[in-house]
Amino acid sequence: MRPGAVALAVSCLVVLGAGPPAPSPALPARMADTGGGTQLITAVAPGTASTTGTVTWWDLRDGRWVRTGSAPARFGANGLVEGASRKQGTNTTPTGLYGLPYAFGIKAPPRGTAYKYRRVHRDSWWCQDNDSRSYNRWTEPRAADCRAAESEHLITYGARYAHALVIGFNYERPVRGRGAGIFLHVDGRGATAGCVSVPQGAMRTILTWADPAKRPHIAVGTAGGATAVTRY
């Protein structure tokens, strides 16, 4: 065999043996923190000015994160902002990693829901009044020191609050002026006032998938940059 032919044969063997590149790790595997549980929801927008993106729910199985489902998502009308510096009333969705304290809804929970579920009644309110002791809390009836104009009368939100999960943003130790009433809920007509929303079918699916024993969290962020979801 000529020397050139030998070199060509070796070259072909190298190319044939190279194989396809290894797939990149699943998104949760690239995150700084996932909350310590075995379930995770990621809500990712292309950038901070985006009002749309994708919600994906994941399960940790045998040490590997597996995508269980996904759906189109909507974010705040003014995009996304770092949760620690968010200001109330800005129509921005706070980025970060948050717990999911409980579910609620105007309708009964979907069959199979294991999460603690609170049914909305006509006197159910979410207080957003910075001067109230009930700031960023469900009150039933509306607290005396919580002004109606500074609160959400939950039943008036109709289909949007048919089913929802409370996102634990500014929840454990509320900071006045940072924001209140951030939920994962059913889509309305467009962008949100700061919540994350998904189609009705996806919201129902998430509620039947979420298992409080698996300590699910939600990570909200962008595909890259200072608010990249992988930072949380």
Side-chain angles (χ1 to χ4, degrees):
M1 184 180 290
R2 299 191 309 275
V6 173
L8 179 60
V10 172
S11 175
C12 289
L13 285 173
V14 171
V15 171
L16 291 172
S24 59
L27 177 58
R30 292 182 275 121
M31 292 174 56
D33 190 5
T34 57
T38 58
Q39 287 188 330
L40 179 71
I41 300 171
T42 55
V44 184
T48 54
S50 303
T51 59
T52 60
T54 304
V55 159
T56 306
W57 46 105
W58 308 79
D59 283 286
L60 185 62
R61 299 175 186 165
D62 299 322
R64 294 177 60 250
W65 285 101
V66 178
R67 187 180 77 164
T68 303
S70 66
R74 293 175 178 168
F75 299 97
N78 289 322
L80 297 86
V81 68
E82 176 67 49
S85 58
R86 184 182 186 270
K87 302 296 182 184
Q88 185 166 326
T90 55
N91 288 343
T92 53
T93 297
T95 62
L97 177 68
Y98 306 107
L100 297 162
Y102 60 90
F104 70 90
I106 293 172
K107 294 186 176 181
R111 185 182 299 274
T113 299
Y115 234 74
K116 176 184 176 181
Y117 191 92
R118 192 164 186 178
R119 194 76 181 268
V120 172
H121 302 289
R122 293 208 169 271
D123 56 354
S124 304
W125 295 74
W126 195 277
C127 183
Q128 299 180 352
D129 189 337
N130 282 285
D131 296 326
S132 173
R133 290 173 294 179
S134 299
Y135 180 67
N136 203 19
R137 288 292 184 273
W138 178 304
T139 66
E140 194 172 307
R142 177 170 54 84
D145 68 343
C146 188
R147 292 168 289 174
E150 298 293 327
S151 304
E152 286 191 2
H153 191 194
L154 299 177
I155 203 165
T156 65
Y157 284 76
R160 286 171 290 175
Y161 288 176
H163 301 106
L165 273 165
V166 176
I167 295 177
F169 166 72
N170 200 31
Y171 188 77
E172 290 187 10
R173 296 180 180 85
V175 176
R176 313 286 168 156
R178 184 162 291 171
I182 301 297
F183 312 128
L184 174 62
H185 65 74
V186 177
D187 281 339
R189 293 183 178 180
T192 73
C195 295
V196 180
S197 70
V198 293
Q200 181 180 13
M203 191 67 237
R204 292 176 61 89
T205 297
I206 289 169
L207 283 181
T208 57
W209 159 83
D211 182 350
K214 296 180 179 179
R215 296 181 294 157
H217 286 67
I218 185 168
V220 184
T222 52
T227 53
V229 73
T230 51
R231 294 183 57 245
Y232 303 111

